[in-house]
Every structure is written in structure tokens, then in C-alpha cells.
């Protein structure tokens, strides 16, 4: 199982060298790890799910790399890829920037939603892509996620989200802020119907995204070393006038402070999710005690 | 001491002049009645001109005015028998949020709101109205109590934002806000949210997932402060005035976006000119809101809440 994950199927793999995020995989044939400075062939990193083979540093994965590494082969069907951002505030150059990122990433927006199978169990899925406007959430991101959650509710299936986002998108102002509320209401409906929601926070998950659906899972996980927090480090340092420790707002920091259920290594991700899905699988189970009692809330 | 806003300066100057003329008139027996009348007419026109043409930045200034009424001011004007309750039961009591129960139009109600101070000492006690996680946890604890005892909830929103501090992060600022959003979404009682001052981002929204959202005319509601936007956009927080313009954060903007339900008018010159009048205006809208919301059963209430948020956002949908 693990080997199958480590050596991804040919054909659909995306070239990692077109990522140009700060902490992302550098261009070129050879790569020097930003963490341990080991030099190795870039392909090797890619085949290791963007995890440094030497020090386990987790580089960002883009949306489709993530989908490839999580779902059963060729089972993922994408939803709502025709939704496009408009410019509700009339922000200069906003749509040009969106177009540029669309070209760069081949995505319509900073999130991919859809449905697939993990070890034959159906899951509604959302994965954010930090290459697209830093994964920020505007109307389209909010709408796509809310629709995915609503479909998960209608189909009575679990919802899993992988977050990677700087937070609400400034260029869409208060409409971005309100997407936090919109998704929350959708998730509440999904949850009240007795469905499972798992959140996996990846690097980075901050601001309005960490303060909404990223933290609303029945289980909240994170990848090692991921930056997770509400306010930015610089803002906090300016406010309290002291230097913050190096591990502040890392996944490990959050785990220590009781904010996460687990920090999960990427190589164990699919396996862990699969086990949790099996434990929560409603098929082949007798009616729930609540159903037996006539649906008491 | 009354804080004077820069754009009000001409009005204040003219008012001072009138007072002076009146004084001269009585003291020196020179009849200046006509001159005073003339100036008072001018003052009326000037006030009309200034206050009916407020720029977004002027409204930000109003929303932040030192003497602007706070949650506790409105509570004592609008509700009876208010009893405040403290603490989140986990860590502490956050005085940046006040919370309690009262009667409203002879019916029980739960009242919650951000609380800032007007003077420095009070502001320090209230952490300038910027809550820690325990503030939000206190709020949701009381909201769930409201649900248990089947009484509606009113939330007053008035914060620059959730406090960006070290301990706030350690204790889960994100989780606290996220939890409130999720739980408010499902509360089986009517929730009315009223922005009375600044509605600063997630820290405001954590008391803001309601069935009706209203804003005082000169309040603001935004994803980021004008200063924050300016420093991101132009690397210069001093350009906040320009940012306030482009971020569309006034009550009129939010009404146009379909985010809020009603704009609650303010007395000429802002809420701080007359707490009594402002409280009356709030009372009127709140009464109407609750009258409408009280007629829904739980299923309809929650369905409408979903539909309200579902339609917020602007995008296009076409085949690529």
C-alpha cells in the first residue's frame, strides 16, 4: 500500500518545478532541501510526495498531487470547475491576477472540490491550493466548498477538507468574510445529519480559514511543520512587543496546546483517513441508537 | 471632553461663533439677532451638507468615536432587569465581551456584545474590546443556554477584531471563533446581530451568525481594518483613508451586497449625540426583527438561516 503511494501512477503527475511558493519546491533538476540542505534529484522529492527523504520536511503539495496521493486510482470526479470570480469591489488588477493564477495552476480558483473513493469508501472532498492567490478565500472558494458540503449532506457521505490558505481574500472584502459563515452553516447541516467531517490543515492555514472550517472537523489534523494560526506572527509581535518562539503556530505547537487531534505524516495520511472512514462507515451497520429511539436530537 | 472629528471642524467653528455673537449681543446691548439668525441658517445648511455627504473614512471615524455608545449603554436603555454572567468555565472571564439575560418587551432574552471602554482605564480593563478565546467561549455558553430556555439572542458587534496575542493563539483563537460560527449556525432560537461600531473581521463574525444582521448607519463591517488593508495594498498604514474607500465597509455597501437586513439611522452627527434617540432607533428595528423571527418554527428558522448565508457572494458560472 505504501509503495503504491510513494511511486505515483504515471500520466497525471504534475510537474512540481512550476510551483513558485516561497517554501515550495525550487525549480530545476536538483533540489537542495530548505531545511536540512541535503541535495537530491527533484524527481526523487516528487516521488516521495514532496517530503524530504532525508529530514521529512513537508513541502506543499498542489491540489492534484494531493488528490492523487489520497484517492483510489481514477475515482475522483471534480465538481463546479466552471465557477469564476468576478470583481465585486472593483479592485484594480484583481481579475488580471486571477487570470494569471488560472494560467499558472490550470485551476479555476484556489480550491478543487469533488468526490472520490478512499479504499472504496465515498468521500466528498475539498483541497485548497496555495499557489492560487495564496489559497485565499473569496466568493468562489466559499461557494465551491459550501456546495461540496451540501452535496455531501444530500448523499449522506463524509466530507474531508485539506486546507492551505492565507485566510479570507481581501479583494472581495466583506463577501470573503461572509464565506466563513456560509460554509459554517453548511457544515452544521451536514453534521446535524450525523455525517463525518475531517479537516487536515496543511502549510499554511491562517486567518479566516483557520478560524472557520479548518477548525470545524470532528477530527482536526495537520501535517508536520505546517504553519497554523489566527493572527500573523508579525502582527502579534508588534502588538505584544516581544519575539515569539520559533515553533510558535506550528502544527506541533498546536498539538501541544490541545488544538489538534494528531499531526500526521504525509506517508501515513491515506492510511489514517481510510481507517477513520472505515470506523465511521454507516453501511452494514445496524440502525443507530438515535434512529431506534425515533430520531431524538 | 468631547472628541472632535476633523471633518466636523467647520461646524464646530461656526457653532462657536454663534455662541460668541449671542454672548456679545446680551452683554453689550448691540442687537445682533439678525446676524445670529443668518449664521444659524448657515449652520443648518453646513450640517446638512457635511452629515449627508459622509465619506467612508468619516464613518470609520464615527464608528471609532470615543464617546460612541457601547453595548452596556444600549443594554441599560433598551432592556430591563439585565443580569450579567461571567466566565467561560474553562479558563477565565473576558471583559471584552459582556453577556447576560434580561427582559425585552416583557419577554426573556439573552444579550451578548463586545464591550470596549471610552476612557483609557476602562479600555485597558476591556482590552479595547478585542476578545480572547475565553470571551467567545463565554458567549457561546450563554447562547446555548438561550437555546435551552428557548429565548431569542441579540448580539451587539463592536470590535476591531479578535485579539492578536500570544496567549490568544495558545488557547485557540481560531478554534474559539470557528466553534462559535458552527454552533450559532444551528441554534434553535432567533438570533439578531446588530453592528453598533466597528465590525472587525472574524472577531466580529464570531458573534455575527444571525438570522437578521443590522448595522447602525455609521458603523463598519469588514474583512480587514482600513489600516491593515492599506499596509498590505500599499505597504503604508497611513493610507487607511484611501483603503476605507475601496474596501466597501459602510452600512450602505453591505446593504447593497445583500449581507445586512436593515440600516439603523443615527442622530445627526452620530450615535454619540444622543444615546436616547439611538437606542430608540435600535429598539424599533429589534422589535420588528423579533416579531418576524418569532413566527417561524425551528425547521423554517434554520432553513431560512441557511438560505440567508447561501446566497452571499458574487461569482459567475459558465462553461469554460
Amino acid at each position: 500500500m505504501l509503495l503504491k503511494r510513494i511511486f505515483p501512477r504515471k500520466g497525471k503527475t504534475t510537474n512540481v518545478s512550476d510551483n513558485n511558493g516561497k517554501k515550495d519546491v525550487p525549480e530545476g533538476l536538483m533540489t537542495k532541501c530548505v531545511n536540512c540542505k541535503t541535495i537530491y534529484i527533484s524527481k526523487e522529492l516528487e516521488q516521495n510526495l514532496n517530503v524530504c527523504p532525508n529530514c521529512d520536511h513537508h513541502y506543499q503539495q498542489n491540489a492534484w498531487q494531493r488528490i492523487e496521493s489520497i484517492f483510489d486510482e481514477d475515482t475522483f470526479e471534480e465538481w463546479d470547475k466552471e465557477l469564476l470570480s468576478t470583481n465585486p469591489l472593483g479592485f484594480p488588477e484583481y481579475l488580471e491576477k486571477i487570470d494569471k493564477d488560472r494560467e499558472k495552476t490550470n485551476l479555476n480558483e484556489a480550491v478543487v472540490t469533488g468526490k472520490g473513493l478512499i479504499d472504496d469508501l465515498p468521500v466528498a472532498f475539498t483541497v485548497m491550493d496555495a499557489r492560487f492567490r495564496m489559497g485565499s478565500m473569496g466568493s468562489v472558494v466559499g461557494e465551491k466548498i459550501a456546495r461540496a458540503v451540501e452535496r455531501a449532506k444530500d448523499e449522506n457521505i463524509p466530507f474531508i477538507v485539506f486546507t492551505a490558505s492565507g485566510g479570507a481574500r481581501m479583494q472581495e472584502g466583506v463577501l470573503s468574510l461572509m464565506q466563513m459563515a456560509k460554509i459554517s452553516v453548511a457544515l452544521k447541516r451536514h453534521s446535524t445529519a450525523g455525517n463525518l467531517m475531517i479537516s487536515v490543515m496543511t502549510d499554511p492555514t491562517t486567518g479566516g480559514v483557520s478560524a472557520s472550517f479548518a477548525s470545524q472537523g470532528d477530527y482536526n489534523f495537520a501535517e508536520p511543520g505546517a504553519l497554523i494560526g489566527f493572527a500573523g506572527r508579525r502582527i502579534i509581535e508588534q502588538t505584544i512587543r516581544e519575539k515569539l518562539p520559533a515553533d510558535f503556530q506550528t502544527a506541533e505547537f498546536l498539538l501541544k496546546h490541545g488544538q489538534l487531534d494528531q499531526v500526521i505524516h504525509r506517508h501515513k495520511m491515506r492510511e489514517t483517513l481510510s481507517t477513520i472512514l472505515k470506523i465511521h462507515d454507516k453501511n452494514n451497520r445496524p440502525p443507530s441508537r438515535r434512529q431506534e429511539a425515533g430520531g431524538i436530537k | 471632553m468631547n472628541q472632535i472629528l476633523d471633518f466636523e471642524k467647520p461646524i464646530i467653528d461656526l457653532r462657536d461663533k454663534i455662541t460668541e455673537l449671542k454672548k456679545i449681543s446680551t452683554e453689550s446691548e448691540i442687537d445682533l439677532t439678525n446676524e445670529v439668525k443668518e449664521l444659524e441658517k448657515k449652520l443648518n445648511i453646513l450640517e446638512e451638507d457635511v452629515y449627508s455627504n459622509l465619506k467612508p473614512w468619516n464613518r470609520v471615524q464615527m464608528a471609532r468615536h470615543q464617546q460612541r455608545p457601547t453595548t452596556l449603554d444600549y443594554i441599560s436603555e433598551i432592556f430591563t432587569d439585565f443580569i450579567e454572567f461571567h466566565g467561560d468555565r474553562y479558563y477565565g472571564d473576558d471583559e471584552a465581551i459582556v453577556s447576560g439575560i434580561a427582559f425585552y418587551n416583557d419577554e426573556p432574552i439573552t444579550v451578548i456584545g463586545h464591550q470596549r471602554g471610552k476612557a483609557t482605564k476602562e479600555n485597558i480593563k476591556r482590552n479595547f474590546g478585542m476578545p480572547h478565546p475565553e470571551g467567545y467561549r463565554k458567549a457561546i455558553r450563554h447562547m446555548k443556554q438561550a437555546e435551552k430556555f428557548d429565548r431569542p439572542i441579540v448580539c451587539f458587534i463592536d470590535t476591531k477584531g479578535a485579539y492578536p496575542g500570544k496567549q490568544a493563539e495558545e488557547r485557540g483563537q481560531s478554534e474559539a471563533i470557528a466553534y462559535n460560527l458552527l454552533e450559532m449556525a444551528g441554534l434553535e432560537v432567533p438570533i439578531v446581530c446588530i453592528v453598533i461600531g466597528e465590525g472587525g473581521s472574524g472577531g466580529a463574525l464570531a458573534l455575527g451568525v444571525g438570522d437578521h444582521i443590522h448595522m447602525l448607519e455609521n458603523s463598519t463591517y469588514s474583512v480587514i481594518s482600513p489600516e491593515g488593508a492599506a499596509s498590505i495594498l500599499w505597504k503604508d498604514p497611513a493610507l487607511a483613508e484611501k483603503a476605507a474607500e475601496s474596501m466597501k465597509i459602510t452600512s450602505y455597501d453591505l446593504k447593497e451586497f445583500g449581507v445586512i437586513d436593515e440600516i439603523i439611522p443615527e442622530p445627526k452627527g452620530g450615535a454619540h449625540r444622543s444615546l436616547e434617540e439611538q437606542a430608540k432607533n435600535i429598539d424599533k428595528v429589534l422589535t420588528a426583527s423579533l416579531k418576524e423571527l418569532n413566527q417561524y418554527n425551528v425547521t423554517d428558522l434554520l432553513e431560512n438561516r441557511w438560505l440567508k448565508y447561501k446566497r452571499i457572494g458574487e461569482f459567475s458560472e459558465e462553461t469554460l
Side-chain angles (χ1 to χ4, degrees), chain A residues 5 70-76 117-121 270:
Chain A
R5 298 288 118 214
I70 296 291
F71 284 95
D72 300 351
E73 197 169 348
D74 293 330
T75 63
F76 188 79
L117 300 175
I118 299 176
D119 286 334
D120 295 326
L121 290 174
R270 180 187 148 96

Side-chain angles (χ1 to χ4, degrees), chain A residues 80-84 86 88-91 102 139-140 143 146-147 150 168-170 172-182 184-189 207 210-212 215-216 229-231 235-236 239-240 242 244-245 248-249 253 257 259 297, chain B residues 137 147 162-166 169-175 177-179 181-183 185-186 188 201-203 205 209 213 221-224 228-229 232-233 246-248 254 257 259 302-303 305-306 309-320:
Chain A
D80 298 314
K81 60 181 168 194
E82 57 289 334
L83 260 60
L84 291 177
T86 56
L89 267 57
F91 243 90
R102 282 176 60 198
S139 298
V140 171
E143 178 71 14
R147 284 189 191 184
E150 197 63 4
R169 187 174 294 169
M170 205 182 58
E172 290 187 33
V174 77
L175 292 178
S176 301
L177 182 72
M178 289 297 153
Q179 302 309 309
M180 295 165 65
K182 174 153 106 183
S184 298
V185 183
L187 279 171
K188 187 66 192 179
R189 289 157 62 85
S210 92
S212 59
S215 304
Q216 291 170 340
F230 177 67
I235 305 277
I236 299 172
T239 307
I240 63 172
E242 63 179 270
L244 294 162
F248 188 69
Q249 294 184 324
F253 174 92
H257 284 93
Q259 309 297 336
K297 206 195 138 192
Chain B
R137 289 175 183 141
E147 183 181 47
Y163 186 63
K166 187 176 175 221
E169 296 284 326
E170 286 171 349
R171 296 202 287 274
Q173 190 72 285
S174 284
E175 193 277 341
I177 295 171
Y179 185 73
L181 303 185
L182 190 67
E183 291 307 306
E188 298 182 344
S201 198
L205 191 63
V209 185
I213 311 171
Y221 204 167
S222 62
V223 70
I224 186 170
I232 291 175
L233 285 172
S246 42
M247 291 299 291
K248 306 225 168 128
L254 269 84
F257 283 139
V259 172
L302 294 184
E303 186 64 23
R305 195 177 295 160
W306 162 237
Y309 287 95
K310 186 183 169 170
R311 57 165 198 264
I312 299 179
E314 289 187 15
F315 51 86
S316 71
E317 189 167 13
E318 49 200 74
T319 318
L320 292 177

Side-chain angles (χ1 to χ4, degrees), chain A residues 89-106:
Chain A
L89 267 57
F91 243 90
E93 291 164 57
Y94 177 46
L95 291 180
E96 285 81 351
K97 283 175 180 165
I98 294 273
D99 283 343
K100 222 184 227 170
D101 283 359
R102 282 176 60 198
E103 221 160 87
K104 184 175 81 185
T105 60
N106 222 356

